[in-house]
Amino acid sequence: MLAELKGLNEECGLFAIFGHERAAELTYYGLHALQHRGQQGAGIVTSNGKQLSIHKGVGLVRSVFEQQHLSSLKGTSAIGHVRYAAEQDSGFENVQPLLFRSQISSMALAHNGEIVNAFALRSQLEAQGSILQTTSDTEIIAHLIKRGGYLPLEEAIKQALVMVKGAYAFVLLTEEQLYIALDPYGLRPLSIGKIDDAYVVASETCAFDLVGAKYVREVHPGELLIIDKHGLKSTMFASPMQRALCSMEYVYFSRPDSNLNGLNVHASRKLMGKQLAKEAGVEADIVTGVPDSSISAAIGYAEESGIPYELGLIKNRYIGRTFIEPSQSSREEGVKMKLSSVRGIVNGKRVVMIDDSIVRGTTSMRIVRLLKEAGATEVHVRIASPPIKHPCFYGVDTTVKEDLIAAQYSIDEMAKEIGADSLAFLSVEGLEKSLVHEDSNEVGICKACFTGRYPTEIYPKEIYVSEKEQEHE
Ligand code: AMP
Ligand code: SF4
């Protein structure tokens, strides 16, 4: 769970509201609830019906916004964003929402996901004279919309979205309207709620709970919603495909108190843990989970196996992401400051250690070591998702196959690498079984990083570059 140890990319978080007196304040609270989805930057744009106001900055929501900023964000509609940035694009210019002012009408955009044909679109736009100021996909969408400026905005947005391939949930605010769209496969989560007469939209329903909004429904794949003083209008910009919601949302990203596509995240993780116990039982004295995201699965594993759940690992809540690890040699101390094993509990015990996933294997390796140093006689690692063997092209920064330990080694070899006495993963079928509605309908998930079967066409940058090179030969 210690994403901060690894510098991997996470999701971003979106929040929007239309028609509420306290739009900026509620967006601020909503972003707090979504803070786990990105800690590198936060921003809010509001509209008072005549003009848009913006405040954004690098860092956590609580450090970007002070009372005076919220007071300056006037109006009854707002969009907000929290972002996790890859190292190379962590600058202020990439913090969202992006605001484009013009004499006729301004627009602000925020998005979560990744456009798989961004490289091609960017090259195309630049060839046609657009000057792009950021490395963000959001700006590409904005330019594509602006290119259709002769059309009514709804049509210009639809025309732009048809060109964009990949995973995206996006919100766009003008002086008078709020637009919301989700990619045709619904790879990213996005829900609609209501607070009084105002509509709210959020990446996760935990944001609704915090602002006191009632959940209404999911945004449908391929849907464009337009909210204005006349109410909410739903249109489609693409034929909806079989939903392929990122399964890592259930496994790792989302908060346990959120419901995604009708399934509670904690309950889903518990089922994954139970299923894992059925598939990969082992004789042991205690089960422990890596805080926080693996706790639900560990409880499920314990319940199913009958092995007691214990608090073998504790996370220090006060170590921020900015914690300095000055040299490689002090990295181990860094891990210990973020996570401790509880000697009094694990000493002399055979431990089943549950984690939600393995990406590069560094977390598991360090935690096995911590548990053994605390006296665990055996450490059996059980992972509540299948091995990640394929890169993600949809906004999760696991794009380099060479970094994925499961793409390089067999399970036995991995167990040796991380120092575990045994290692097992949840099967793909087990994951699918854990993600079904009460009426037995599947939720429709993307499993591409486990199976290599991508729901959309993919356009790896290298392929595009080599095609271009061939064209020039
Ligand atoms: P690793 O140490 O590279 O194997 O990373 C695995 C750990 O990172 C697990 O404990 C997960 O909770 C967490 N994790 C999984 N996917 C991601 C991701 N895309 N970004 C950040 N952390 C992740
Ligand atoms: Fe999520 Fe994996 Fe699909 Fe990427 S490839 S969207 S991480 S399930």
Side-chain angles (χ1 to χ4, degrees), residues 187-188 246-248 392 394 396 446 448-449:
L187 275 144
R188 302 271 76 98
C246 170
S247 51
M248 286 302 287
C392 173
Y394 303 127
V396 177
C446 172
C449 46

Side-chain angles (χ1 to χ4, degrees), residues 245-280:
L245 175 58
C246 170
S247 51
M248 286 302 287
E249 289 284 351
Y250 290 103
V251 169
Y252 167 72
F253 294 128
S254 293
R255 247 172 59 163
D257 52 337
S258 287
N259 294 333
L260 300 176
N261 215 355
L263 288 188
N264 171 258
V265 172
H266 164 73
S268 307
R269 286 183 187 157
K270 238 179 112 177
L271 285 178
M272 292 176 208
K274 282 180 175 247
Q275 182 64 29
L276 180 61
K278 284 184 199 151
E279 293 180 8

Side-chain angles (χ1 to χ4, degrees), residues 79 142 154 172 214 263 298 302 329 344 349 360 416-417 429 459:
I79 60 172
E154 179 181 330
L172 183 154
K214 278 205 185 73
L263 288 188
S329 61
K349 303 274 173 35
R360 297 190 290 224
K416 275 210 192 86
E417 276 293 304
E429 299 72 37
Y459 304 73

